[in-house]
Amino acid sequence: MFISSTMRHILVLLAGILACIGVNAQELKRMEPEFSDFLSMLKKDGYGMFAFDISSLKEDTYTISYEIKEYSKGEIIGTKTPPAFFVNRHLMSELPESSWQQYIDEGRVYDQEKGIFSLAEKITIGFLPASDSLKMMHFSVVGAGSSTWNLTLKPLGGPSMGDKYSYDARPFVVGSIQPGIFIPLVLLGSFWYDENGGFYRFCGEKEFPADMSSPSLKYVPHYYVIGITATKND
């Protein structure tokens, strides 16, 4: 079959274009990292953060306090109730009426129709290393206030570990908020030595049941349970 010189040039050009497309399709490109790309690195270094939605409480005013329960070998050995407490919302009626219009004009009023000036919609519980044997916990009712507390860690048991510490945090399954009832939110627990496998581990559910019925908890030698109590204001 005869191919003209013009057609031959077209075929050569088309082959070059297709070759370039093939190369570009497999090209490795540098890109800017996103915040989520840092999460695994931060967790490895002892940082962690958990968030919980409390916006369903907006119809009433609640005082929210947090509590830290410490367990050793499955038995509770102490309870700490920090003096800090937070209110989930503030009403316009709590402010001088002369300032209402100013706040409305500035867009600072959460819900003018219901008279809600401000509302805390989220709780966060974060952890960061304070030292090898201390973990700092940061508790925040976002928009209402925050508090910090140091948690004392215990060294790993098992062979040849000396004074090494290793802890992990897991959330609890959460559901309806019952006023006046303690609600566990996050567990911070120690790794343990698996004699059968010959290594240290922290496994089990990604979320622990709120009734503490998880069979894996019996293996955790030392842990803290951080939770809240929401008390409805009169």
Side-chain angles (χ1 to χ4, degrees):
M1 178 177 67
F2 175 74
I3 300 177
S4 66
S5 59
T6 301
M7 181 62 71
R8 187 177 294 110
H9 286 308
I10 292 174
L11 292 175
V12 171
L13 180 61
L14 181 60
I17 293 173
L18 292 175
C20 289
I21 292 174
V23 171
N24 289 336
Q26 300 178 41
E27 184 179 355
L28 180 65
K29 297 181 179 180
R30 189 183 71 81
M31 60 186 297
E32 292 298 323
E34 299 176 353
F35 178 74
S36 58
D37 299 323
F38 292 91
L39 293 179
S40 60
M41 180 177 65
L42 291 171
K43 184 176 181 181
K44 184 178 179 181
D45 288 339
Y47 294 85
M49 179 67 75
F50 301 87
F52 303 89
D53 184 353
I54 59 169
S55 61
S56 64
L57 297 177
K58 67 181 180 181
E59 299 302 326
D60 293 288
T61 302
Y62 290 84
T63 296
I64 297 172
S65 58
Y66 71 96
E67 195 171 296
I68 304 165
K69 298 184 178 183
E70 184 178 6
Y71 291 78
S72 178
K73 299 179 181 179
E75 299 292 330
I76 188 166
I77 60 173
T79 299
K80 300 177 179 67
T81 306
F85 61 88
F86 311 92
V87 177
N88 71 311
R89 72 174 191 172
H90 290 284
L91 304 178
M92 295 288 290
S93 58
E94 300 171 31
L95 306 171
E97 189 172 351
S98 58
S99 63
W100 291 2
Q101 192 58 52
Q102 177 185 345
Y103 292 139
I104 292 171
D105 294 341
E106 292 173 350
R108 296 172 59 184
V109 178
Y110 177 82
D111 190 330
Q112 181 181 349
E113 183 179 344
K114 293 185 177 181
I116 303 174
F117 175 68
S118 64
L119 180 73
E121 297 183 307
K122 180 169 62 175
I123 287 174
T124 63
I125 297 175
F127 301 97
L128 57 157
S131 68
D132 287 345
S133 61
L134 285 178
K135 181 83 73 172
M136 181 182 290
M137 184 205 69
H138 183 267
F139 179 90
S140 174
V141 179
V142 180
S146 62
S147 175
T148 58
W149 194 274
N150 283 335
L151 302 176
T152 302
L153 310 181
K154 293 189 177 182
L156 292 168
S160 306
M161 292 307 293
D163 292 330
K164 293 185 180 297
Y165 304 83
S166 186
Y167 279 68
D168 197 6
R170 301 278 174 86
F172 282 90
V173 177
V174 294
S176 61
I177 299 176
Q178 300 181 47
I181 302 298
F182 176 78
I183 302 170
L185 296 179
V186 178
L187 180 145
L188 178 72
S190 173
F191 279 62
W192 70 89
Y193 184 69
D194 185 331
E195 294 183 355
N196 293 326
F199 56 88
Y200 291 86
R201 65 193 303 176
F202 189 99
C203 61
E205 301 89 334
K206 292 183 178 180
E207 292 182 307
F208 288 112
D211 63 1
M212 307 283 289
S213 61
S214 170
S216 61
L217 286 179
K218 66 182 179 181
Y219 298 107
V220 186
H222 179 243
Y223 58 89
Y224 293 96
V225 173
I226 299 99
I228 64 165
T229 300
T231 305
K232 187 175 179 180
N233 295 5
D234 294 332

